[in-house]
Amino acid sequence: MDKLINDFSFGLFFWQAIILLVLLFLLRKYAWKPILDSLNNREEGIKNALESAEEAKKEMQNLQADNERILNEARAERDGMLKEARQLKETIITDAKAEAQAEADKIVAQAQATIASEKKAAIAELKSQVAELSVEIAEKVVRKELANKKDQLELVDSMLGDVTLN
């Protein structure tokens, strides 16, 4: 340290101090202002970016709220449509059952009417056949009984005995 103090030169110190002051002046005039301006611009840009991010966050929250509201409305509409579809299905099923029951009752009534008419026709046919058979049997019996004269007279007498006159 002694050597530094012994080698100290005021002229050199003076010129170095002047160079330092000139350098500081030039830096302040030409470099610090643009550097500070760029730092300020950078700070403004970051501040604006943070504000934009905050606005975007608020906008995103609003969009999420709108999406949730729209989703709830869509769910409510879907539930309403499903309820309406179920009611429509029940109505269609009920109407179809009623129509099928009416058609079945109509078919049964027609079948019963057909059965009744066929039954009447069968009974009429049966009566006709019984009448024919009865006539044939009576004819054969009468022929047999009326084959001889004595039997004819007895038959006429018995019939006259059965008939009463008023």
Side-chain angles (χ1 to χ4, degrees):
M1 185 116 165
D2 277 337
K3 185 174 183 189
L4 281 178
I5 293 178
N6 289 337
D7 288 340
F8 183 73
S9 163
F10 281 107
L12 182 62
F13 176 73
F14 173 74
W15 284 112
Q16 285 179 343
I18 288 185
I19 290 174
L20 179 64
L21 289 175
V22 170
L23 183 63
L24 287 176
F25 174 74
L26 289 174
L27 282 174
R28 182 170 185 194
K29 186 170 185 174
Y30 295 108
W32 282 350
K33 189 171 184 174
I35 289 173
L36 288 177
D37 286 344
S38 69
L39 285 176
N40 286 336
N41 288 340
R42 172 96 171 136
E43 184 179 343
E44 275 299 312
I46 290 171
K47 186 177 174 183
N48 289 339
L50 288 174
E51 288 175 0
S52 295
E54 190 65 32
E55 286 179 20
K57 184 179 176 183
K58 287 179 183 177
E59 197 172 315
M60 184 63 81
Q61 288 174 345
N62 289 339
L63 286 175
Q64 284 177 342
D66 287 345
N67 286 345
E68 190 66 31
R69 180 185 50 81
I70 290 171
L71 187 61
N72 288 337
E73 288 175 1
R75 284 180 183 149
E77 187 176 337
R78 179 202 63 195
D79 291 343
M81 290 173 76
L82 286 174
K83 183 178 179 183
E84 185 178 322
R86 285 186 192 111
Q87 288 174 346
L88 183 61
K89 176 188 83 166
E90 292 297 325
T91 303
I92 289 172
I93 289 172
T94 304
D95 291 348
K97 283 181 181 178
E99 188 176 321
Q101 185 63 40
E103 189 68 27
D105 291 344
K106 181 180 173 184
I107 290 171
V108 167
Q110 286 176 349
Q112 287 176 342
T114 303
I115 290 171
S117 67
E118 287 181 9
K119 182 179 175 184
K120 286 180 184 177
I123 289 174
E125 173 99 15
L126 187 60
K127 284 182 181 180
S128 172
Q129 287 178 358
V130 167
E132 286 180 23
L133 284 174
S134 296
V135 169
E136 286 180 21
I137 291 172
E139 187 180 321
K140 286 181 183 178
V141 167
V142 169
R143 273 194 194 150
K144 184 179 176 189
E145 288 193 12
L146 296 179
N148 77 34
K149 191 102 167 140
K150 183 180 170 193
D151 290 337
Q152 284 179 6
L153 290 176
E154 286 177 9
L155 181 61
V156 169
D157 285 337
S158 76
M159 287 180 133
L160 285 175
D162 289 339
V163 175
T164 58
L165 296 171
N166 290 340

